[in-house]
Structures are given as structure tokens and as C-alpha cells.
Amino acid sequence: MASLGGSSSSSTEYIVRVPKNTSKKYSIMAFNSGDKVNCSSWTQARMERDMSNRRMYGVEETEGAAGSEFGKKQREEARRKKFGIVTREFKVEDQPWILKVNGKAGKRFKGTKKGGITENASYYIFTQCPDGAFEAFPVNGWYNFVPQAKHRTLTAEEAEEEWGRRNKVVNHFSIMLQRRLREQERGPDDDDEEGEKGGKKKKKKGGRGGDLRIHDLEDDLELSSDESDSSGGEDGDSKPKKKEGDVKGKGKKKKKKKRGSDSEANEDSDDGDFEGLEVDYMSDESSSEEEVGEEKAKSNKEAVPKGIDEASESEEESEEEKQNEEEGKEEEEEEEGKKTPVQTKKKRDSSGESDTSEDSDIDGEAASALFMKKRTPPKRGGGRGSGGSSRTGSRPGTPSIDSASTSNTLRAAASKLEQGKRQVVGGSSESPAAKRLKMESSSTAVTTQSPAPSGKSTPQPPSGKSTPSSSDVQLTEEAVRRYLIRKPMTTKDLLKKFQTKRTGLSSEQTVNVLAQILKRLNPERKNVNDKMHFYLTE
Amino acid sequence: MSEKGEVDLTGAKQNTGVWLVKVPKYLSQQWAKASGRGEVGKLRIGKNQGKAEVEFTLNEDLTMIDSLGDKPSGVQAPRDHPFTMQTVGGQTLAVFTETQSGKEQISLEGLVVQRAECRPAVSENYMKLKRLQIEELSKPVRLSQQLEKAVTTNYKPVANHSYNLEYDRKKKEEGKRARVDKQQVLDMLFSAFEKHQYYNIKDLVDITKQPVSYLKEILRDIGIYNVKGTHKNTWELKPEYRHYQGGEEEEEKETND
């Protein structure tokens, strides 16, 4: 090293060496500035190649007698050559690195090779040797290391679904929860998922909102579930609405919406895709259109109702026809969520929008209640209690199941559910109140068990207690009177209220009885929207 | 071998600082020609009124540029290369090495503290070098060239191709396939079907060296012919002769005859 004197500059010279035969290969490990990686803080690190891309071509075939053909390999290869299919070789040096820092609990990074760095210019690493000279080593590869998330993320399909529902889902926390639930279902079924109730965070906001799901079958309010957004959608398996107690970890609510629908093979659905679909649902007959005046429910339907569906499918069919004719076109149906194939048969004549909110909620609830009851009766006990505040509270099934005796009839179960729901619901007021309200206003619970103030339906949110249509509806004069006092209704509306499934009467009978009642009541008439509405003033 | 995968973190702990320098291709080529200890040049770091100036000077003996082709290029690489110093930015760049031979050890050499670009000082030499490079690059990869004489060396007319002659000879020597005992054929077939389930008739003929009609007759006894499905036009053993799960047994032989 010679020192050259300069006038105002001082410089030192160093010899640069490029060592010839070094056995070491130098590579660059690049981290993102945002990750704030401090290498000196690493106590221990392991790094290996990520061999997950290695596919043993041809070994996939069963090598053996059964099912194999003579000379299959050669034939396959010849075929590939003929079509010019070139399978890229698996080069170990090009595979990504997996870097684990600080053991199992530490960070994980994946380093992907950056291509083309040696094409036009070479990078050299200059290190200073003890003797003052510089040694330059060529850089062999550049790897960009990114941290790997340990938390759960949505897959691309799920993310797309949720994106479509972004305006509807309020409780983002539930999204990942539902996903986990689903996974658990697919895995061991017997996990105790009830416990969470207590642990559930108070997600008032959207507590129930997250649980709502859009249903086609708005009519069956009591059967609609109050579940979180995981819409059962079309996945065939009815998922019990088990919640997980694993709330704690989820302090970070993922701001991702999750459509409860299964991650398996759900097609994308846009809003409005399901309009006008027919619903073949346990709910007697009329599908959603029933729910007059309900605004769009943001809730998504869940698959659970399907369980009940199957149980009571027979009842529906006949009713449906009748309801079909009678259905006014006022309501349009709008279905957001995915429905099980059974349920997605919406009536064609539905024109308006019917939100399924509460109906679906209750429906789902009942469904899930039934379902859960069948599956894990003992676990119910834990669920109770967590009043409204958390959405757990609103979790259908559990409390109801407890109270529900072994009644297997749909009605009984549904009614019990409703009871439970009402108690539970009392607390959570965050549900998209408006919707619920609307629904309530339109349908009064005429059942015996509606302690709730049916009263004047006010579009105010007493949500909780409201009287979502209850299970047992008797076609009595009293009931009709109550309806008509609340708001003017057309005959069609009234008929919808007294669904044959609930009242146990056939369509014809219902019509007759209703006609008689109306004659007796002699309500006043008024024309609204060119339709004749009846109403009573008391 | 428990060390495989374990990263040697001494470099990181000592916070060894290194420079990452981007070097032009021609320069790295010249460096590759270095001899002896690998000395390629001198690096001069100076402080000129507060600013650091770094310059690399290539050794004299390394300035000869080889060119592609026959004639010597007559171009010399420029000698002076000032370095442009850059900051690393927020990025963390670490340097790790792998030892190739035998024991594969990954070690972290250090962190990049300074980035630099080695630029050639603009000079006549450099311009010539660049021109040379451009000329070489602009040559088309494929060239159409007119030939004066037609090429006659490739395909010559032949009375009979050697391949054909061989084929005929082979055929003669093999002769027609002779039928052997049915039992033997069956043995052959069964052992063949032990290996694979589906066979083409041609392959079976090849294996058994039997005339086709004879073989077909035997096959009709013990096997079935798949016309449709994935294994089209293949023969397989009849179910009662099959025993594919859990290893082969000789029961086929029993059922035979």
C-alpha cells in the first residue's frame, strides 16, 4: 500500500486481488427494508433449499402390476416429445432457500433467486484483508428473502369472495374464524368449539352482523341463522356453527371478510347473481320473497340450514307451488351468499328484493341448532350465557339446544331456537339493526311463545328481542288482526305470514280460513301501489 | 453431517462490512485472466475535500482484450475506473457463502455497508472497446449464405439401404415364429402379466415370440380384450386369474388347465 501525498487530498492505495480458486460461492441475501432485519440479533440460523418443487416425473404412476401398461413410460415420453412439451429441469441451485432464524419459534424467510443479475454486469464483493489489500469475489446469485407469515391467510379464492362481500360484512374478525371452523370440521370433528363463547371478544359491532348471512328463505325467520358470515353456501356439508374459543390469538382482527362458504370449489358469485333463483328449502314454500320489505340482508346464508332442509324437505314441495302463485312480485329476492344446491332454487317470480336477514338468521340458527344438537349435545351447556354482547352470544344453536328438548320436529326446534336466540340476541345490538328491524316490522310473531313485544313494528332496532317470526303460527283471527293493525297488508302478504309449513294447513285451507277471518274482521281497505291493502286501526 | 443447514453466523456477529461493487462485464473478463495470486489492480481511496474518491486502476498486463475471431483486436481496456459510491438504502444485504466441496457449509460472511459501481473512465480506449462490442453483438445469429456448388455429400442413392438389409437378414434368421407348448406360453404370459396389467398384442407377441393367431387363441382363454376405456385395445387377464393386491401368487397356474 503506497500512500500518495496530495495537496488537499490524501489517498491510500490498496491492492485488489481476485482470488482464483476459492471453493466458496458467494451469494447475496437481500431483505426488504420494511422488515427491519437485524442480522446481529440472530443467535442461530438454519438454511436449506426448498425442494418442494421437485416432481418426480413418471414416478407418480404406480409402478406395479395393477393398472399399469406395458411400455407406458416410453409411450408417454414419445407423446411428450411429439407435442413438444418440454418439462423444465429441476435445478437445485435455482431453488429457493428456506431460512429459519432462532429456532422453531423464530422467524422464517423464503429466499427466491433473482434472475438475470449476471447477465450484463457482474457483482463483486470487496472485503478487506488483514494485510490491507482488497479481495474481490464474484457474486454467484442474488436471493430476495421475504418473511413468511405464520398467521393464517386467506387463499386467493377466499379473498376474492370476501372482496365481493366487502360492503356487507362488518365483522372482519369472523372471517378467519369461520375459515378455521371449516378447517376444523374437515379435520377432527369432535373438537370442542363451544368454549369460545366466553372468550369471545365483545364484538358488539357487527357482532351479529358478522353472523348474518343472506338467505333465500327469509320466510323462515326462526330457522334463519344468526351465524357469522360463513355462509354455508353450497358446500354440501352442513357445517355446524361451532365457534372456536381461540379468540385470543385473533386480537388482530383480520380485516378480511370471509364468506363462510367453503373454501372448496365455490364459484365466484357476484351480487345479484342469485336474484330470482328458486329456493327449495325447508322453509315452507315461499322462499325469500316472503320477507317483504326486508332490506337486503347482509347476512349470508350458511349451509347449516341444509341439515334441516333435508329433514323437512317433503313438507316444502307442495307449499312451494302455492306460494309461488301467490307471491307478489313486490319483493325481490336478493341473495348474496351462496346457498346449498338445495336451497338455491329460488322462485322465479320473485321480483323484488327480499332480504333474508332475519329469516335466514333464524333459519340458520335453527338449522345449526338442530344440527349441533345432534352432534354435540353435551357441549351445549357451555355455550349459554354469554349474552348478547359477543357474537358468540348470538351464535345460534347452543343455548337453544340446551333448552330444546329432543323435539325433532322442525317447528319445535325452530321455536326453541328462536327462544334461545331471543335471549341471546338481547345483548347484541349491533346487528345490522335496520335489517332486522325491517324484518321484524313485517312479520310479527304470532306464536305463542313470542314474549317479545310484537307491538308496533318500529323500524327501530329493538332487534334483539324482536319477534322474528316464530315457529308456531296459528292462523287465528287474533294473529291476522295483529298484523293488520301493525301495517297494511295485502292478501298475499298475509298468506305469506301464515305459511303452510308453520300452520300445518294446506294452502287451500289457509286461503279459506284467511278469507273467513277477513270477512269477520272487515278491515279497511286502501290502495297502495295499485294493490289493495287491508288494515285495521285500533 | 449435522451441520448441514446450520448457518455460521460469525460474519453477522462481527458485523463485518463488505462492499458490493458492480463491475462491467469486460472488466470481470479481464480479471478472470489474472495470474498468480490474482492481483488485478490497485484501488485508490482518497478524501478530496471531504468527499471520498475511490478509483480502481487496472494492471497493465490485463489490458489486452481478446476478441472473438481470428484477428487481434488491438483494443485495450481502459485502465482507470472511478467508483461511484452509493448507499445501501434501507435494504439489508447480507453475504453468505456455500462451500461446495464435500461438506456443504453455509456461512454468513458479512453485511454490505457500501454499494459502488465501477465505471470506466471515458477514454479513447473505451470507445474502441465499445465499438468492438457493438460489432460483435450486431452480427446476426443466423446467417444466410449462398453456396457455389450444391451439396452432394448427404444423400447418395443406394440400391438398398443398409438398414433394410439388416432388417431382412434379421427376419430370415429369426424365421417364422414357432409355436411352443401351450403351457409354456401360458407361463410366459402369466409372468408378463405379473409385471403389468395391460398389454398390447404386439408387445405380447414380442415377449412370447409366438405367432399372432396362436397367441390370440391362448389369450382368449385366459384374458379379456379391452376395447374402450383408458386402456384401449389392450389385453388383460381375466379376473379369476388376477391377483394383484398383496403380491402375486401362483394361483393363476392353478386355475389354468
Side-chain angles (χ1 to χ4, degrees):
Chain A
M1 288 171 296
S3 271
L4 305 174
S7 43
S8 58
S9 62
S10 59
S11 54
T12 30
E13 266 200 8
Y14 305 89
I15 293 184
V16 177
R17 281 199 300 267
V18 177
K20 297 235 87 188
N21 31 10
T22 166
S23 55
K24 286 203 206 177
K25 284 203 178 161
Y26 281 70
S27 313
I28 299 275
M29 185 190 286
F31 295 96
N32 240 341
S33 49
D35 296 333
K36 307 271 189 299
V37 174
N38 184 7
C39 292
S40 38
S41 71
W42 296 352
T43 47
Q44 173 242 107
R46 292 191 66 86
M47 187 151 85
E48 304 171 317
R49 291 278 182 187
D50 175 18
M51 297 292 207
S52 60
N53 289 333
R54 192 208 296 265
R55 286 177 223 290
M56 303 291 196
Y57 291 110
V59 190
E60 297 150 4
E61 308 279 331
T62 52
E63 298 184 342
S68 68
E69 277 188 43
F70 180 74
K72 192 166 183 79
K73 268 198 195 159
Q74 289 90 327
R75 233 175 307 146
E76 282 300 320
E77 206 180 308
R79 193 167 167 278
R80 264 191 274 133
K81 274 207 192 136
K82 174 169 109 178
F83 290 123
I85 301 170
V86 176
T87 41
R88 265 194 237 138
E89 261 190 52
F90 177 88
K91 289 194 217 126
V92 184
E93 311 84 55
D94 292 345
Q95 300 308 307
W97 287 103
I98 300 275
L99 168 67
K100 297 175 210 165
V101 177
N102 293 341
K104 215 84 226 310
K107 294 212 189 107
R108 284 192 78 180
F109 294 90
K110 182 163 182 178
T112 344
K113 188 164 191 179
K114 178 168 142 176
I117 60 149
T118 46
E119 272 171 26
N120 297 321
S122 349
Y123 282 96
Y124 278 80
I125 295 286
F126 278 47
T127 54
Q128 191 155 38
C129 294
D131 67 347
F134 276 87
E135 285 199 336
F137 302 96
V139 167
N140 225 283
W142 185 298
Y143 294 86
N144 287 321
F145 278 75
V146 288
Q148 281 189 313
K150 292 209 182 136
H151 55 261
R152 232 170 255 276
T153 52
L154 297 183
T155 68
E157 292 97 17
E158 291 169 348
E160 291 233 12
E161 297 165 10
E162 293 305 322
W163 173 252
R165 302 186 335 162
R166 64 194 182 281
N167 290 325
K168 303 191 170 12
V169 171
V170 185
N171 178 18
H172 301 273
F173 161 75
S174 62
I175 294 168
M176 298 308 288
L177 199 70
Q178 284 311 309
R179 180 165 181 250
R180 201 173 341 118
L181 275 181
R182 245 187 284 120
E183 289 183 10
Q184 285 223 356
E185 266 178 46
R186 281 191 231 122
D189 270 336
D190 49 354
D191 282 347
D192 173 26
E193 279 111 2
E194 320 294 308
E196 3 76 43
K197 303 279 176 76
K200 263 310 146 89
K201 19 199 11 178
K202 328 231 165 175
K203 273 248 71 157
K204 291 253 174 118
K205 171 173 137 102
R208 302 246 307 195
D211 304 345
L212 290 186
R213 112 177 9 153
I214 290 202
H215 239 242
D216 276 347
L217 321 165
E218 299 147 309
D219 43 28
D220 260 353
L221 291 185
E222 64 262 28
L223 296 179
S224 65
S225 97
D226 204 26
E227 304 292 335
S228 50
D229 299 346
S230 53
S231 70
E234 50 251 23
D235 69 353
D237 44 332
S238 357
K239 304 183 306 244
K241 285 312 150 182
K242 309 187 208 161
K243 279 223 207 155
E244 284 195 310
D246 195 12
V247 180
K248 45 190 173 316
K250 305 311 159 203
K252 40 183 177 180
K253 314 158 199 166
K254 309 265 166 230
K255 297 303 179 192
K256 292 195 211 152
K257 303 189 204 233
K258 180 149 75 137
R259 202 174 224 182
S261 55
D262 228 24
S263 48
E264 25 183 344
N266 279 346
E267 44 176 333
D268 295 338
S269 84
D270 304 318
D271 303 349
D273 260 1
F274 294 93
E275 281 189 10
L277 280 181
E278 296 239 354
V279 172
D280 172 20
Y281 188 57
M282 55 190 168
S283 59
D284 7 347
E285 63 320 353
S286 51
S287 30
S288 22
E289 325 160 58
E290 305 262 337
E291 286 341 288
V292 185
E294 254 119 32
E295 30 185 273
K296 263 184 233 201
K298 298 195 191 151
S299 47
N300 281 337
K301 241 198 59 27
E302 53 176 356
V304 180
K306 182 181 178 188
I308 305 197
D309 272 0
E310 294 155 342
S312 60
E313 232 168 355
S314 49
E315 300 182 39
E316 278 61 47
E317 320 295 351
S318 53
E319 325 300 38
E320 281 209 35
E321 270 85 41
K322 165 135 193 226
Q323 294 306 333
N324 262 338
E325 327 158 7
E326 287 158 1
E327 233 54 276
K329 309 279 188 214
E330 307 140 29
E331 286 95 15
E332 32 173 284
E333 235 161 22
E334 198 226 71
E335 208 226 16
E336 291 265 357
K338 305 222 173 111
K339 314 177 69 64
T340 62
V342 173
Q343 292 149 337
T344 35
K345 256 181 36 200
K346 280 197 177 190
K347 303 231 166 52
R348 294 296 156 195
D349 49 351
S350 64
S351 50
E353 286 228 346
S354 53
D355 26 305
T356 51
S357 54
E358 256 139 307
D359 276 341
S360 34
D361 289 352
I362 304 189
D363 280 345
E365 252 185 31
S368 65
L370 259 193
F371 195 84
M372 290 163 98
K373 169 165 112 77
K374 287 186 204 143
R375 285 168 120 242
T376 55
K379 303 201 176 156
R380 291 307 156 202
R384 252 208 127 136
S386 52
S389 63
S390 49
R391 33 190 283 264
T392 23
S394 55
R395 259 302 154 159
T398 47
S400 11
I401 299 278
D402 259 344
S403 45
S405 49
T406 43
S407 72
N408 274 336
T409 64
L410 191 58
R411 231 165 278 139
S415 60
K416 295 233 164 50
L417 244 194
E418 215 212 352
Q419 252 174 351
K421 175 190 181 214
R422 271 207 225 102
Q423 299 165 8
V424 152
V425 159
S428 67
S429 44
E430 293 303 318
S431 39
K435 301 196 215 123
R436 189 141 301 162
L437 266 293
K438 278 275 211 83
M439 190 201 60
E440 284 161 359
S441 58
S442 48
S443 67
T444 31
V446 189
T447 69
T448 50
Q449 54 172 346
S450 60
S454 50
K456 302 296 179 187
S457 57
T458 63
Q460 256 33 39
S463 24
K465 355 199 286 184
S466 54
T467 53
S469 34
S470 42
S471 31
D472 289 357
V473 174
Q474 297 300 324
L475 181 46
T476 61
E477 182 175 334
E478 192 51 46
V480 176
R481 176 196 292 278
R482 253 194 281 166
Y483 278 130
L484 293 182
I485 285 179
R486 258 219 277 161
K487 104 172 192 181
M489 305 185 71
T490 67
T491 48
K492 287 200 174 104
D493 297 344
L494 284 171
L495 278 168
K496 270 197 246 171
K497 292 302 171 196
F498 302 105
Q499 291 168 5
T500 56
K501 177 163 76 144
R502 294 208 207 124
T503 64
L505 309 169
S506 82
S507 341
E508 283 197 8
Q509 284 175 329
T510 316
V511 171
N512 288 337
V513 175
L514 192 59
Q516 288 173 1
I517 294 180
L518 282 178
K519 265 193 223 136
R520 265 180 283 156
L521 283 182
N522 207 7
E524 309 194 12
R525 306 163 179 235
K526 133 174 124 178
N527 240 336
V528 173
N529 296 341
D530 291 336
K531 286 204 174 76
M532 179 72 59
H533 283 65
F534 297 113
Y535 67 97
L536 283 172
T537 52
E538 205 74 19
Chain B
M1 286 319 278
S2 64
E3 287 313 308
K4 170 94 176 93
E6 192 68 35
V7 179
D8 174 14
L9 291 171
T10 46
K13 295 219 164 67
Q14 295 164 0
N15 259 334
T16 327
V18 297
W19 286 9
L20 180 65
V21 182
K22 193 173 189 181
V23 170
K25 260 283 189 286
Y26 73 87
L27 197 58
S28 61
Q29 280 165 358
Q30 298 305 102
W31 287 0
K33 293 194 280 182
S35 56
R37 285 210 316 156
E39 216 182 276
V40 296
K42 291 198 178 30
L43 194 68
R44 185 157 46 121
I45 304 178
K47 269 230 177 351
N48 199 355
Q49 282 120 16
K51 265 208 292 243
E53 280 183 358
V54 184
E55 197 192 22
F56 172 76
T57 310
L58 188 59
N59 271 355
E60 187 78 41
D61 46 353
L62 288 176
T63 52
M64 279 317 294
I65 301 260
D66 309 328
S67 74
L68 244 50
D70 338 325
K71 49 186 175 64
S73 65
V75 172
Q76 292 216 326
R79 291 196 63 197
D80 297 325
H81 299 85
F83 274 21
T84 314
M85 308 308 275
Q86 298 156 346
T87 58
V88 176
Q91 237 187 349
T92 312
L93 294 170
V95 180
F96 71 95
T97 56
E98 311 164 63
T99 54
Q100 286 305 95
S101 39
K103 176 167 182 323
E104 309 229 343
Q105 169 74 22
I106 302 175
S107 52
L108 213 58
E109 298 291 328
L111 297 169
V112 174
V113 294
Q114 183 81 256
R115 282 184 80 153
E117 268 185 33
C118 180
R119 301 216 162 139
V122 180
S123 63
E124 196 53 43
N125 271 337
Y126 183 62
M127 291 311 173
K128 284 199 205 140
L129 170 69
K130 270 303 166 192
R131 179 206 238 145
L132 185 70
Q133 278 184 356
I134 292 175
E135 278 173 1
E136 285 188 10
L137 285 177
S138 59
K139 283 192 203 139
V141 178
R142 298 196 171 97
L143 190 61
S144 295
Q145 199 180 3
Q146 188 178 27
L147 304 169
E148 302 89 30
K149 255 176 52 144
V151 176
T152 51
T153 48
N154 287 351
Y155 296 105
K156 294 201 163 86
V158 151
N160 199 354
H161 290 286
S162 56
Y163 168 73
N164 278 350
L165 291 168
E166 288 236 7
Y167 184 67
D168 291 334
R169 221 176 349 102
K170 220 160 70 88
K171 276 295 173 86
K172 276 222 187 75
E173 156 206 345
E174 244 185 59
K176 300 241 191 293
R177 303 198 161 117
R179 304 183 178 203
V180 295
D181 277 347
K182 183 156 178 213
Q183 189 56 44
Q184 275 178 288
V185 178
L186 282 169
D187 285 349
M188 282 195 275
L189 284 176
F190 283 130
S191 47
F193 276 107
E194 268 176 39
K195 300 199 207 87
H196 296 274
Q197 187 176 354
Y198 301 100
Y199 277 88
N200 218 340
I201 185 68
K202 291 206 189 100
D203 297 327
L204 285 173
V205 165
D206 219 19
I207 293 174
T208 57
K209 309 260 187 292
Q210 302 295 294
V212 180
S213 46
Y214 181 50
L215 189 58
K216 266 202 205 163
E217 276 197 29
I218 301 183
L219 276 177
R220 238 174 264 134
D221 265 346
I222 59 158
I224 49 181
Y225 187 65
N226 282 313
V227 185
K228 321 189 262 239
T230 62
H231 309 276
K232 44 96 220 160
N233 306 335
T234 54
W235 283 90
E236 60 173 340
L237 283 181
K238 286 198 182 145
E240 58 262 24
Y241 294 94
R242 273 188 247 161
H243 184 78
Y244 283 124
Q245 294 86 354
E248 288 305 325
E249 296 183 4
E250 295 306 306
E251 50 186 18
E252 302 114 344
K253 296 239 179 116
E254 294 164 15
T255 49
N256 180 28
D257 266 38

